Amino acid sequence: MDRLGVYGGTFDPVHLGHLAVARSVRDAYDLSRFLFIPARQSPLRDSPRASAPDRLAMVRRAIEGIPGFEASAIDIERPGPSYMVDTLRGLAVRHPGADLFLVLGADALGELPAWREADRILAAAQIIAVPRPGHTAEIPPEVLALHPKADRRIHRHRMPPVDIAASRIRASRAEGRAIDACVPPAVAEYIVARRLYSSGGPDGSGAI
């Protein structure tokens, strides 16, 4: 049976922390494929600085040549906010019979009760919760209350927390500092070529 990793986010930009999490989760859970899914617009976040096509292009460059890693435009192709429950429904249609494993940071896991149809998310996919700096590894009681089998459908993944943040990368670019240590070379080249996150760039901002 196809075991499909689902990694959603704004990826604004995708960075080495995302890749480290994906590799660790893929290997630990024997996933056959791993989908990176840039959101058109997160319902709980500010609008991304880079455009959807730019963010998708950066993801494709970041994962090029990595076996089993794929970029999906399923959220970008769908109008309106990117609700994960809709993403999982769409993936179930595109990949019938696949077991879905949704990767969430510990911070996002704590926000899960505020997500649209959170109970259906837990019914549609198992969740792999990865550590985040400053966030507990424990599953909050309000999350466990979302589904009668939540304790068996949420897995706490053990790996060192990755302390790389897209907001800091954008801030570094705005201040003219190098970002090469935080993003894959092909992504750094794309950001520079497109003048992303710098004053006067296509995203129209130089702020965090």
Side-chain angles (χ1 to χ4, degrees):
M1 182 174 289
D2 202 10
R3 294 168 63 85
L4 193 61
V6 179
Y7 200 4
T10 53
F11 298 113
D12 192 26
V14 62
H15 53 66
L16 294 175
H18 294 129
L19 297 183
V21 166
R23 287 189 175 98
S24 180
V25 169
R26 176 198 60 189
D27 295 345
Y29 293 88
D30 194 26
L31 302 181
S32 49
R33 285 185 290 167
F34 200 101
L35 297 184
F36 289 74
I37 306 178
R40 172 182 288 274
Q41 171 60 56
S42 169
L44 300 178
R45 298 285 187 271
D46 292 336
S47 296
R49 298 296 184 181
S51 70
D54 277 330
R55 290 182 288 112
L56 181 61
M58 286 189 282
V59 167
R60 285 174 171 159
R61 282 160 174 75
I63 65 175
E64 186 175 5
I66 302 177
F69 282 13
E70 302 174 20
S72 171
I74 188 171
D75 278 0
I76 290 173
E77 293 167 350
R78 190 174 63 243
S82 301
Y83 292 106
M84 180 52 68
V85 68
D86 295 334
T87 304
L88 295 175
R89 286 184 180 122
L91 291 175
V93 172
R94 295 188 184 193
H95 306 278
D99 279 342
L100 303 181
F101 294 82
L102 174 62
V103 180
L104 295 180
D107 50 345
L109 179 65
E111 298 172 349
L112 188 61
W115 291 20
R116 174 180 283 188
E117 298 182 57
D119 57 333
R120 294 185 180 274
I121 290 175
L122 270 168
Q126 297 184 57
I127 291 178
I128 301 173
V130 299
R132 288 285 293 156
H135 293 271
T136 177
E138 297 302 317
I139 303 172
E142 56 270 26
V143 174
L144 291 173
L146 291 171
H147 191 279
K149 297 181 179 179
D151 59 332
R152 282 178 280 171
R153 296 189 64 77
I154 301 174
H155 312 281
R156 292 183 296 168
H157 181 56
R158 306 292 185 181
M159 66 175 291
V162 180
D163 194 13
I164 303 176
S167 60
R168 294 204 299 270
I169 296 171
R170 297 194 300 269
S172 294
R173 274 289 292 165
E175 296 165 4
R177 292 183 279 118
I179 59 171
D180 305 74
C182 299
V183 299
V187 173
E189 292 169 4
Y190 186 90
I191 288 172
V192 171
R194 291 281 295 151
R195 298 173 63 196
L196 299 179
Y197 315 119
S198 60
S199 180
D203 64 332
S205 75
I208 302 174

